Amino acid sequence: MKNRIITYRYKKSMLIVGVVFALAIIAYLALQSFVSTKIQDAIKQDLGEKVIINYKDIKVNLFTSQVSLHDVHVLLKDADTPNHEFAITKIAVKGLSYFQLLNSGAIEISNVVIENIKSTIYFNKEQSSNKTNIKTTIEKAIKINNLDINNAFFTIKTSKQDSTFCQVDNFTLKIKNFSLTNDVIASQIPFLFDSFALKTGNVFLVMNEFENINIASIALDNDLTIQNFLLKTKFTKKLLSQKITTERDYIDLKIPLINASNFNFKGPENNFHLEALTVLFENFNLDIYRNKLEADDVTIKQFFSKKLKQLSFPIHFPSIKITNGLVKYSELVTEQAVPGEIVFTELNSEILNVSNKASEPIIFTNTAKLMGAAPIKVDWTFYTENEVDLFKASGVIKNFETTAINSFLEPNLRAKAKGTINELYFTFSGDSYVSNGDMKMKYQDFEFLILKKDRLGVSKILTAIGNLFTNDGSNTDDNGYRYGAISVNRDATKSFFNYLWINVQDGIISTLTGNGKKDKRD
């Protein structure tokens, strides 16, 4: 009898345990189904008919607080452009706060990993600024402690021609303390974060109608590093001339390494701005060609300092450096002539106080070798504390064999130079309208040879007339210098570099053809 009672009680206990276990399983499955439903609702919260999200499978594990979606496809509908598409292999969520999800609907997550994104986005510049139906609020706040995006490929296309506007390969992003609320959406930065790091493979960007940008890789943590930056005109020089109605430079810019230390684009109040402690351009290589047979571009050219002030966001770079640079500039002035060329090698430059947040002057210091031989130093400063475009410039050239620049003088000025400029110093200052200054030169056996119109021979008559007004370097002061004055009216349709050149040109003419004494011209 006693054994029967024990057996009965054992069976009853086992039945109770079994029932409890079954109820626990049912409760777990019900809760998991409920949580899965809540997650699916949260994914589609207030997205409406314009956003369609499909996925092959969703897995929820309440014990490990893990959720994963597999083979996700996101479609953003747009009436003005083709649909934007995102294909994602996997979205893995770990450490989801069920209490917050069930209680308030807010999404708080420890880790989110998004794997293998392939996206095609269509961008219509003309219509994007006119849209009024873009969603600008969310129902629930989203907080993620660690957000990782791995191996993403983005393609942005223009809807009009269906051509690639931007492409980014092998994009990786890690964000700490991602936060998205309605208050954040109202600011200029789309989400808050404590820190982030990103890396990319190849990046392609259409800069405008004429130039493209290619980059081998970008890495951004505390510093920004760009490898093999290339900005180049997309057409050949000949084809570019067929596509323009006014002068435009053909550009070929190569920079193997760009590094910006302590780079940041998030302001103190989460507004967008750009700043870095130092910016370095290594082995800067710039080739510019201009077809002067095209009509002049008569638009007003503003000083760099004024353009900086007009930016819609703050920018602050205390120091920008260019090391071991090469700059080549050539012009075509006649159909028959070879383009004249000026070359600066071993270029080293530093720009201080590139900022629209402070009133310090912007200072450019540059050293190079003119035509690969003559040392040259040119500095200029923009003053930004008032609305007047004040500037000053100074420079020195030494040991310049003038025959080295004949490759530029012959096609462009129908002239040849002979002789040596031992030393040339200049200083001038002014505003965006006029400038004045002084020059002194020490030179020997200097003369100009004026060429015939076909540039195939020397015009003896014009050369003789020109040299009547050109001093060969005699009649100097006790130190061997001749002096000249500079007085120039700026052509506002020309660049600041043209302004620099015509000031130097005016000083050279004054020094060569004047009385050589240290006084100003009448």
Side-chain angles (χ1 to χ4, degrees), residues 398-440:
K398 293 185 176 181
N399 304 320
F400 182 44
E401 295 293 336
T402 58
T403 54
I405 205 170
N406 282 336
S407 62
F408 183 80
L409 295 179
E410 289 183 29
N412 292 343
L413 301 179
R414 286 179 53 210
K416 279 186 175 182
K418 291 174 61 177
T420 302
I421 296 177
N422 303 105
E423 299 174 30
L424 183 153
Y425 301 88
F426 62 84
T427 301
F428 53 88
S429 60
D431 54 28
S432 56
Y433 302 100
V434 296
S435 58
N436 294 277
D438 301 288
M439 178 176 287
K440 68 176 183 179

Side-chain angles (χ1 to χ4, degrees), residues 122-359:
Y122 290 87
F123 173 70
N124 189 319
K125 185 175 181 181
E126 290 77 12
Q127 294 173 341
S128 61
S129 60
N130 297 324
K131 291 187 178 182
T132 58
N133 57 353
I134 297 175
K135 176 180 169 57
T136 57
T137 60
I138 57 174
E139 287 187 347
K140 304 298 180 182
I142 300 174
K143 296 181 180 180
I144 304 172
N145 294 339
N146 297 284
L147 173 61
D148 293 355
I149 298 175
N150 298 322
N151 195 36
F153 293 80
F154 295 100
T155 300
I156 302 175
K157 295 187 175 184
T158 56
S159 59
K160 194 171 183 179
Q161 296 92 6
D162 196 32
S163 59
T164 298
F165 170 75
C166 177
Q167 183 170 308
V168 181
D169 297 341
N170 197 22
F171 177 88
T172 298
L173 175 65
K174 297 180 181 298
I175 300 176
K176 295 286 187 182
N177 294 325
F178 172 99
S179 177
L180 183 62
T181 65
N182 285 324
D183 290 339
V184 173
I185 292 175
S187 68
Q188 295 185 49
I189 292 181
F191 56 85
L192 289 180
F193 58 91
D194 284 349
S195 64
F196 77 97
L198 72 82
K199 292 182 180 179
T200 74
N202 293 325
V203 176
F204 168 80
L205 174 66
V206 176
M207 185 176 178
N208 52 46
E209 182 183 354
F210 298 96
E211 286 88 37
N212 293 335
I213 292 175
N214 283 278
I215 297 172
S217 66
I218 299 174
L220 176 58
D221 198 338
N222 291 324
D223 298 343
L224 170 66
T225 302
I226 299 175
Q227 300 277 357
N228 294 325
F229 176 93
L230 173 62
L231 188 159
K232 189 171 184 178
T233 301
K234 65 180 72 175
F235 309 110
T236 64
K237 296 174 183 177
K238 183 177 181 180
L239 186 57
L240 176 64
S241 295
Q242 296 173 3
K243 290 181 173 292
I244 58 178
T245 56
T246 58
E247 287 181 352
R248 185 182 183 87
D249 291 334
Y250 172 92
I251 300 173
D252 187 353
L253 172 62
K254 302 182 182 72
I255 310 175
L257 176 64
I258 302 174
N259 181 264
S261 65
N262 294 338
F263 181 84
N264 185 28
F265 62 82
K266 184 178 74 168
E269 297 180 358
N270 300 311
N271 61 317
F272 179 78
H273 78 174
L274 287 177
E275 69 175 8
L277 184 62
T278 61
V279 181
L280 174 65
F281 298 88
E282 286 191 3
N283 300 316
F284 181 98
N285 190 314
L286 175 61
D287 188 352
I288 300 176
Y289 163 84
R290 176 166 291 195
N291 185 347
K292 299 294 289 184
L293 300 176
E294 301 294 338
D296 290 338
D297 177 5
V298 295
T299 57
I300 300 299
K301 311 301 188 300
Q302 294 179 338
F303 279 9
F304 172 78
S305 53
K306 177 165 284 189
K307 289 183 178 180
L308 196 62
K309 284 184 177 181
Q310 292 175 346
L311 287 176
S312 60
F313 55 88
I315 184 172
H316 186 65
F317 298 121
S319 174
I320 299 175
K321 294 182 179 180
I322 296 173
T323 62
N324 193 32
L326 170 67
V327 175
K328 185 186 299 183
Y329 177 75
S330 57
E331 288 184 353
L332 179 67
V333 294
T334 65
E335 291 286 0
Q336 294 77 22
V338 176
E341 185 175 88
I342 294 180
V343 180
F344 297 91
T345 61
E346 299 179 38
L347 173 67
N348 292 281
S349 301
E350 184 171 20
I351 312 172
L352 301 177
N353 307 321
V354 179
S355 174
N356 54 15
K357 296 171 59 177
S359 59

